[in-house]
């Protein structure tokens, strides 16, 4: 039902005044099937009837499936129904469970980002980027509501692996004295520069290119917070420990600064509702499908990464009104 409504752009034309045969004619669809699919959309809570025959209107939930909605989830939907996702999820259940390799590796013989960077997968790559953006928008709302950066008005938050800068721009918009450094691989710097310029924050956010598996550049000595969203869950323990040690090394060179690491990930078994905890466990299966070594961790497993990396401070868990949580660790 959802596939018919979204992929045929029916949701873009449901306006509470136009009847479904007229919508079908505009989209060159079969009128009877179109009206029946829209009626079926009621069962998903996406559309509802109006007093007029064959005229439907969108619910608040349904509006998010319009392509031009500012908080649309259409790219997230398309990504989750792409051949990459569907075949990798099938492979993780049938092949990966025997081999321990990711579903993407079993299906395509490469890592997910290698796949998405191939010229023939340019459209899938763009959809994936937009889907991540849509997830980040949701996460940013919870982060802004439930987490505060250091009270120092001149604090610098460094967003490691921050893509085009969704989170760091949101933080700087909310906290007027905050400065930011966006750190990611060189191939993301162009779109990050455009995004930050559109946000009007070029005077407060600096883009630094690099690789967090290598020694971090001198510019990151300015960081009061090393923020990592959905980074640790992408990697196995050894890789995560290496990232933390690289952060510790650059922070140790500025002794007395009092910096911290802020990990932002899905943490299992922390007393959330049964439905939320179950969703997090399902997310762990997704990690098996799309990453080599990535996983969702319990609080003890997550805290252990910092201890193994040589950090002596006790990590602090901050629950958000979201599937994800914050873990702070002083350096």
């Amino acid at each position: 039902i959802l596939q018919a409504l979204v992929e045929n752009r029916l949701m873009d034309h449901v306006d509470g005044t136009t009847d479904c045969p007229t919508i079908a004619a505009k989209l060159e669809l079969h009128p009877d099937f179109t009206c029946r699919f829209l009626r079926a959309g009621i069962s998903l809570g996406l559309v509802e009837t109006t007093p007029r025959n064959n005229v439907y209107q969108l619910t608040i939930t349904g509006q998010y499936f319009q392509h031009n909605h500012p908080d649309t989830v259409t790219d997230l939907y398309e990504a989750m129904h792409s051949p990459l996702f569907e075949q990798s999820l099938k492979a993780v259940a049938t092949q990966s469970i025997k081999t321990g390799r990711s579903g993407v590796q079993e299906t395509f013989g490469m890592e997910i980002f290698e796949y998405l960077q191939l010229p023939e997968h340019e459209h899938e790559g763009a959809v994936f980027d937009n889907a991540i953006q849509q997830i980040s928008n949701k996460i940013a709302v919870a982060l802004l509501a439930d987490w505060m950066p250091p009270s120092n008005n001149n604090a610098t938050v460094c967003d490691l692996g921050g893509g085009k800068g969704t989170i760091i721009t949101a933080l700087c918009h909310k906290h007027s004295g905050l400065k930011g450094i966006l750190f990611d691989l060189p191939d993301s710097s162009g779109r990050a520069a455009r995004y930050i310029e559109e946000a009007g924050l070029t005077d407060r956010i600096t883009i630094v290119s690099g690789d967090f598996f290598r020694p971090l550049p001198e510019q990151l000595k300015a960081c009061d917070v090393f923020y990592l969203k959905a980074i640790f869950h992408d990697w196995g323990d050894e890789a995560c420990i290496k990232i933390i040690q690289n952060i510790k090394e650059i922070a140790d060179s500025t002794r007395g600064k009092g910096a911290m690491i802020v990990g932002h990930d899905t943490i299992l078994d922390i007393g959330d509702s049964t439905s939320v905890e179950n969703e997090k466990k399902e997310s762990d299966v997704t990690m098996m499908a799309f990453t080599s070594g990535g996983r969702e961790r319990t609080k003890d497993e997550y805290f252990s990464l910092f201890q193994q990396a040589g950090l002596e401070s006790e990590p602090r868990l901050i629950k958000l009104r979201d599937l994800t949580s914050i873990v702070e660790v002083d350096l």
Side-chain angles (χ1 to χ4, degrees), residues 166-197:
T166 301
I167 296 294
I168 193 62
T169 55
L171 284 169
C172 285
H173 273 308
K174 180 173 182 181
H175 304 285
S176 60
L178 202 67
K179 295 181 178 65
I181 293 177
L182 180 63
F183 180 78
D184 211 326
L185 295 170
D187 60 7
S188 68
S189 61
R191 61 195 177 102
R194 290 189 295 272
Y195 187 78
I196 292 168
E197 183 177 4

Short mmCIF file of all heavy atoms in Angstrom, two decimals, residues 166-197:
data_model
loop_
_atom_site.label_atom_id
_atom_site.label_comp_id
_atom_site.label_asym_id
_atom_site.label_seq_id
_atom_site.Cartn_x
_atom_site.Cartn_y
_atom_site.Cartn_z
N THR A 166 24.60 18.62 9.53
CA THR A 166 23.24 18.81 10.06
C THR A 166 23.26 19.09 11.56
O THR A 166 22.61 20.03 12.04
CB THR A 166 22.39 17.55 9.79
OG1 THR A 166 22.34 17.32 8.39
CG2 THR A 166 20.98 17.74 10.32
N ILE A 167 24.00 18.28 12.31
CA ILE A 167 23.97 18.41 13.77
C ILE A 167 24.70 19.66 14.24
O ILE A 167 24.18 20.42 15.07
CB ILE A 167 24.59 17.17 14.43
CG1 ILE A 167 23.76 15.92 14.11
CG2 ILE A 167 24.70 17.36 15.95
CD1 ILE A 167 22.37 15.92 14.70
N ILE A 168 25.89 19.91 13.71
CA ILE A 168 26.66 21.05 14.20
C ILE A 168 25.97 22.38 13.85
O ILE A 168 26.01 23.33 14.65
CB ILE A 168 28.12 21.02 13.68
CG1 ILE A 168 28.98 22.01 14.44
CG2 ILE A 168 28.19 21.27 12.19
CD1 ILE A 168 29.09 21.72 15.93
N THR A 169 25.31 22.45 12.71
CA THR A 169 24.57 23.68 12.39
C THR A 169 23.38 23.86 13.33
O THR A 169 23.09 24.97 13.77
CB THR A 169 24.11 23.70 10.92
OG1 THR A 169 23.34 22.53 10.65
CG2 THR A 169 25.28 23.76 9.97
N ALA A 170 22.70 22.75 13.65
CA ALA A 170 21.56 22.84 14.57
C ALA A 170 22.02 23.30 15.95
O ALA A 170 21.37 24.15 16.58
CB ALA A 170 20.86 21.48 14.67
N LEU A 171 23.15 22.77 16.42
CA LEU A 171 23.67 23.18 17.73
C LEU A 171 24.05 24.65 17.73
O LEU A 171 23.76 25.38 18.69
CB LEU A 171 24.88 22.32 18.09
CG LEU A 171 24.60 20.89 18.55
CD1 LEU A 171 25.89 20.08 18.61
CD2 LEU A 171 23.92 20.89 19.92
N CYS A 172 24.71 25.11 16.66
CA CYS A 172 25.14 26.51 16.61
C CYS A 172 23.95 27.46 16.48
O CYS A 172 24.00 28.59 16.99
CB CYS A 172 26.13 26.72 15.46
SG CYS A 172 27.78 26.05 15.79
N HIS A 173 22.90 27.02 15.81
CA HIS A 173 21.70 27.86 15.73
C HIS A 173 21.07 28.03 17.11
O HIS A 173 20.60 29.11 17.45
CB HIS A 173 20.70 27.26 14.75
CG HIS A 173 20.91 27.67 13.33
ND1 HIS A 173 21.02 28.98 12.94
CD2 HIS A 173 21.00 26.93 12.19
CE1 HIS A 173 21.19 29.05 11.63
NE2 HIS A 173 21.19 27.82 11.15
N LYS A 174 21.06 26.97 17.90
CA LYS A 174 20.41 27.05 19.21
C LYS A 174 21.27 27.78 20.22
O LYS A 174 20.76 28.55 21.05
CB LYS A 174 20.07 25.65 19.73
CG LYS A 174 19.40 25.72 21.10
CD LYS A 174 18.88 24.39 21.60
CE LYS A 174 18.18 24.59 22.95
NZ LYS A 174 17.67 23.32 23.51
N HIS A 175 22.59 27.56 20.18
CA HIS A 175 23.49 28.12 21.19
C HIS A 175 24.36 29.19 20.51
O HIS A 175 25.34 28.88 19.83
CB HIS A 175 24.36 27.02 21.80
CG HIS A 175 23.56 25.90 22.40
ND1 HIS A 175 22.90 26.02 23.61
CD2 HIS A 175 23.29 24.64 21.95
CE1 HIS A 175 22.28 24.88 23.88
NE2 HIS A 175 22.49 24.04 22.89
N SER A 176 24.00 30.43 20.74
CA SER A 176 24.56 31.53 19.95
C SER A 176 26.05 31.74 20.14
O SER A 176 26.72 32.28 19.26
CB SER A 176 23.81 32.83 20.28
OG SER A 176 23.93 33.14 21.67
N GLY A 177 26.60 31.30 21.28
CA GLY A 177 28.02 31.51 21.52
C GLY A 177 28.89 30.35 21.08
O GLY A 177 30.12 30.43 21.13
N LEU A 178 28.26 29.29 20.64
CA LEU A 178 28.99 28.06 20.31
C LEU A 178 29.74 28.20 18.99
O LEU A 178 29.27 28.83 18.05
CB LEU A 178 27.99 26.91 20.20
CG LEU A 178 28.52 25.49 20.38
CD1 LEU A 178 29.00 25.27 21.81
CD2 LEU A 178 27.42 24.48 20.03
N LYS A 179 30.92 27.60 18.94
CA LYS A 179 31.66 27.48 17.69
C LYS A 179 31.74 26.00 17.32
O LYS A 179 31.61 25.13 18.18
CB LYS A 179 33.07 28.05 17.82
CG LYS A 179 33.11 29.56 18.08
CD LYS A 179 34.54 30.05 18.17
CE LYS A 179 34.60 31.55 18.39
NZ LYS A 179 34.02 31.95 19.68
N GLY A 180 31.94 25.72 16.05
CA GLY A 180 31.96 24.34 15.61
C GLY A 180 33.09 24.05 14.63
O GLY A 180 33.53 24.93 13.89
N ILE A 181 33.55 22.81 14.66
CA ILE A 181 34.45 22.28 13.64
C ILE A 181 33.80 21.02 13.09
O ILE A 181 33.42 20.13 13.85
CB ILE A 181 35.84 21.95 14.21
CG1 ILE A 181 36.56 23.22 14.64
CG2 ILE A 181 36.68 21.18 13.18
CD1 ILE A 181 37.92 22.99 15.29
N LEU A 182 33.64 20.98 11.79
CA LEU A 182 33.07 19.81 11.12
C LEU A 182 34.20 19.02 10.49
O LEU A 182 34.91 19.52 9.62
CB LEU A 182 32.07 20.26 10.05
CG LEU A 182 31.39 19.14 9.24
CD1 LEU A 182 30.55 18.26 10.15
CD2 LEU A 182 30.53 19.75 8.15
N PHE A 183 34.39 17.80 10.98
CA PHE A 183 35.52 16.97 10.55
C PHE A 183 35.01 15.72 9.84
O PHE A 183 34.23 14.94 10.40
CB PHE A 183 36.34 16.57 11.78
CG PHE A 183 37.53 15.71 11.48
CD1 PHE A 183 38.69 16.27 10.96
CD2 PHE A 183 37.50 14.34 11.70
CE1 PHE A 183 39.80 15.47 10.69
CE2 PHE A 183 38.60 13.54 11.43
CZ PHE A 183 39.76 14.11 10.92
N ASP A 184 35.43 15.55 8.59
CA ASP A 184 35.02 14.37 7.83
C ASP A 184 35.99 14.17 6.68
O ASP A 184 36.91 14.98 6.47
CB ASP A 184 33.58 14.49 7.33
CG ASP A 184 32.88 13.14 7.23
OD1 ASP A 184 33.55 12.14 6.91
OD2 ASP A 184 31.66 13.08 7.46
N LEU A 185 35.78 13.11 5.91
CA LEU A 185 36.64 12.81 4.77
C LEU A 185 36.58 13.93 3.74
O LEU A 185 35.55 14.63 3.64
CB LEU A 185 36.23 11.48 4.15
CG LEU A 185 36.42 10.25 5.05
CD1 LEU A 185 35.75 9.03 4.42
CD2 LEU A 185 37.90 9.98 5.29
N PRO A 186 37.62 14.11 2.96
CA PRO A 186 37.66 15.23 2.00
C PRO A 186 36.51 15.27 1.01
O PRO A 186 36.06 16.35 0.63
CB PRO A 186 38.99 15.01 1.27
CG PRO A 186 39.84 14.26 2.25
CD PRO A 186 38.90 13.37 2.99
N ASP A 187 35.97 14.10 0.63
CA ASP A 187 34.93 14.11 -0.41
C ASP A 187 33.60 14.67 0.08
O ASP A 187 32.68 14.87 -0.71
CB ASP A 187 34.74 12.72 -1.02
CG ASP A 187 34.33 11.67 0.00
OD1 ASP A 187 34.05 12.03 1.16
OD2 ASP A 187 34.29 10.47 -0.36
N SER A 188 33.47 14.92 1.37
CA SER A 188 32.22 15.50 1.89
C SER A 188 32.31 17.01 2.08
O SER A 188 31.32 17.66 2.42
CB SER A 188 31.84 14.85 3.23
OG SER A 188 32.78 15.21 4.23
N SER A 189 33.50 17.59 1.88
CA SER A 189 33.71 19.00 2.22
C SER A 189 32.92 19.95 1.33
O SER A 189 32.46 21.00 1.78
CB SER A 189 35.20 19.34 2.17
OG SER A 189 35.72 19.13 0.88
N GLY A 190 32.74 19.59 0.06
CA GLY A 190 32.03 20.48 -0.86
C GLY A 190 30.59 20.69 -0.45
O GLY A 190 30.12 21.84 -0.34
N ARG A 191 29.87 19.60 -0.23
CA ARG A 191 28.46 19.75 0.15
C ARG A 191 28.32 20.32 1.55
O ARG A 191 27.36 21.04 1.85
CB ARG A 191 27.72 18.42 0.02
CG ARG A 191 28.21 17.30 0.89
CD ARG A 191 27.66 15.95 0.44
NE ARG A 191 28.20 14.87 1.25
CZ ARG A 191 27.53 14.27 2.23
NH1 ARG A 191 26.30 14.65 2.51
NH2 ARG A 191 28.08 13.30 2.92
N ALA A 192 29.31 20.05 2.42
CA ALA A 192 29.28 20.64 3.76
C ALA A 192 29.42 22.15 3.69
O ALA A 192 28.71 22.89 4.38
CB ALA A 192 30.39 20.03 4.62
N ALA A 193 30.33 22.63 2.82
CA ALA A 193 30.54 24.07 2.68
C ALA A 193 29.26 24.75 2.20
O ALA A 193 28.90 25.83 2.69
CB ALA A 193 31.69 24.33 1.71
N ARG A 194 28.59 24.13 1.25
CA ARG A 194 27.34 24.71 0.74
C ARG A 194 26.27 24.75 1.82
O ARG A 194 25.55 25.75 1.97
CB ARG A 194 26.85 23.92 -0.48
CG ARG A 194 27.72 24.09 -1.72
CD ARG A 194 27.08 23.47 -2.93
NE ARG A 194 26.97 22.02 -2.82
CZ ARG A 194 27.92 21.17 -3.19
NH1 ARG A 194 29.07 21.61 -3.66
NH2 ARG A 194 27.72 19.85 -3.07
N TYR A 195 26.17 23.67 2.58
CA TYR A 195 25.14 23.57 3.62
C TYR A 195 25.38 24.61 4.72
O TYR A 195 24.44 25.29 5.17
CB TYR A 195 25.14 22.16 4.21
CG TYR A 195 24.03 21.88 5.17
CD1 TYR A 195 22.74 21.61 4.72
CD2 TYR A 195 24.25 21.89 6.55
CE1 TYR A 195 21.71 21.36 5.60
CE2 TYR A 195 23.22 21.63 7.45
CZ TYR A 195 21.95 21.36 6.96
OH TYR A 195 20.93 21.11 7.84
N ILE A 196 26.61 24.75 5.14
CA ILE A 196 26.94 25.70 6.21
C ILE A 196 26.75 27.14 5.72
O ILE A 196 26.28 28.00 6.47
CB ILE A 196 28.38 25.45 6.71
CG1 ILE A 196 28.43 24.11 7.44
CG2 ILE A 196 28.85 26.58 7.62
CD1 ILE A 196 29.83 23.61 7.72
N GLU A 197 27.08 27.38 4.45
CA GLU A 197 26.87 28.72 3.89
C GLU A 197 25.38 29.05 3.84
O GLU A 197 24.96 30.16 4.20
CB GLU A 197 27.47 28.81 2.49
CG GLU A 197 27.36 30.20 1.87
CD GLU A 197 28.04 30.30 0.51
OE1 GLU A 197 28.52 29.27 0.01
OE2 GLU A 197 28.08 31.41 -0.03
#
